[in-house]
Amino acid sequence: MKIENAVILITGANRGIGLAFARALLARGARKVYAAARDPATVTLPGVQALQLDVTKPEEIAAAARQAADVTIVINNAGIAQPGGFLAPDSEAVARRIFETNFFGMLNMSKAFAPALKANGGGALLNVLSVASWLNGAELAAYSASKSAAWSLTNALRHELAGQNTQVLGLHMAYVDTDLTRGFDVAKSSAEEIVERALDGLEAGVDEVLADALTQQVRQGLKAARPIYLPQAN
């Protein structure tokens, strides 16, 4: 999928990875970039078209699909997280809130924009996933579960949209230096590094991008005699 002259919509585009996507897409010659955010006033990057969009609100998704009917690439980037395990008292409420954005938001965006992508030649979906799609150590239990569900959704969409020639790319990465990981004392990639690898993969036509070394190691660990998602001996 070529980025030059493409029309792209990014959810959660006002900061972090979404903002890095917007900058990189403009630099690569995108014709138009819709930068979607819950509050469009927070979109300040010159050269993009701010769009009001809360992915948990079906009416705003429908309005965005009408306004951005010329789109050829949709980047499902919006995501939220909250620390805590499934045995915490508020775990059900936390899980429901996170799934509304990280899974159902992605599902409803994909459904709403699939007809536009088809009408515009097929285009592409780029779904921002995580190394947490394959691991859940309970520190971010609901977030990890939502990313596992989003990975499964991405895999299903790849089959369902093949007939209309829509490329579906899943982007997996570990810790990225954004607001989402503030407070985590771990090695982090820059958002710019992750985005460049994602867009290289999109243009190359691949199905998945494993954007950093830790993600690549974890993916290999799924094949181990004792897979990496199980508790490991000390």
Side-chain angles (χ1 to χ4, degrees):
M1 180 70 202
K2 292 298 182 184
I3 293 168
E4 186 175 6
N5 207 40
V7 178
I8 301 141
L9 184 147
I10 312 159
T11 64
N14 57 327
R15 61 182 182 172
I17 294 173
L19 178 57
F21 266 118
R23 288 178 174 144
L25 290 164
L26 291 174
R28 291 190 183 214
R31 177 158 50 94
K32 185 189 295 184
V33 175
Y34 293 103
R38 291 179 177 177
D39 179 1
T42 62
V43 176
T44 59
L45 178 67
V48 303
Q49 184 169 328
L51 188 68
Q52 181 171 334
L53 178 58
D54 181 339
V55 299
T56 69
K57 296 181 177 179
E59 68 277 11
E60 292 193 9
I61 292 177
R66 290 191 297 270
Q67 185 172 341
D70 54 346
V71 75
T72 58
I73 300 172
V74 173
I75 300 178
N76 283 313
N77 166 72
I80 60 174
Q82 181 173 328
F86 282 130
L87 299 183
D90 61 347
S91 64
E92 182 177 349
V94 169
R96 290 182 185 278
R97 185 174 68 87
I98 289 175
F99 265 75
E100 281 297 323
T101 296
N102 296 3
F103 177 76
F104 290 107
M106 184 180 290
L107 169 61
N108 290 329
M109 282 291 297
S110 302
K111 289 171 65 178
F113 280 91
L117 294 176
K118 181 179 181 180
N120 296 326
L125 284 176
L126 193 164
N127 290 344
V128 177
L129 304 173
S130 172
V131 70
S133 301
W134 309 313
L135 293 174
N136 196 338
E139 296 88 356
L140 290 165
Y143 173 80
S144 296
S146 74
K147 289 298 184 178
S148 294
W151 178 46
S152 183
L153 168 62
T154 300
N155 293 334
L157 290 171
R158 195 174 290 119
H159 292 281
E160 292 193 55
L161 295 175
Q164 67 175 50
N165 198 34
T166 297
Q167 178 187 354
V168 179
L169 186 152
L171 170 62
H172 296 268
M173 68 282 189
Y175 294 100
V176 183
D177 190 12
T178 67
D179 290 345
L180 197 66
T181 63
R182 184 180 295 150
F184 288 87
D185 186 18
V186 294
K188 301 172 187 177
S189 301
S190 72
E192 291 73 20
E193 290 173 321
I194 299 300
V195 163
E196 288 301 320
R197 290 165 190 162
L199 296 181
D200 287 346
L202 184 69
E203 293 206 297
V206 302
D207 297 317
E208 288 190 318
V209 170
L210 311 183
D212 54 45
L214 179 57
T215 300
Q216 294 162 18
Q217 292 167 9
V218 169
R219 185 61 175 270
Q220 283 297 115
L222 299 177
K223 305 174 185 177
R226 184 170 181 81
I228 197 167
Y229 55 80
L230 297 177
Q232 303 296 305
N234 294 326

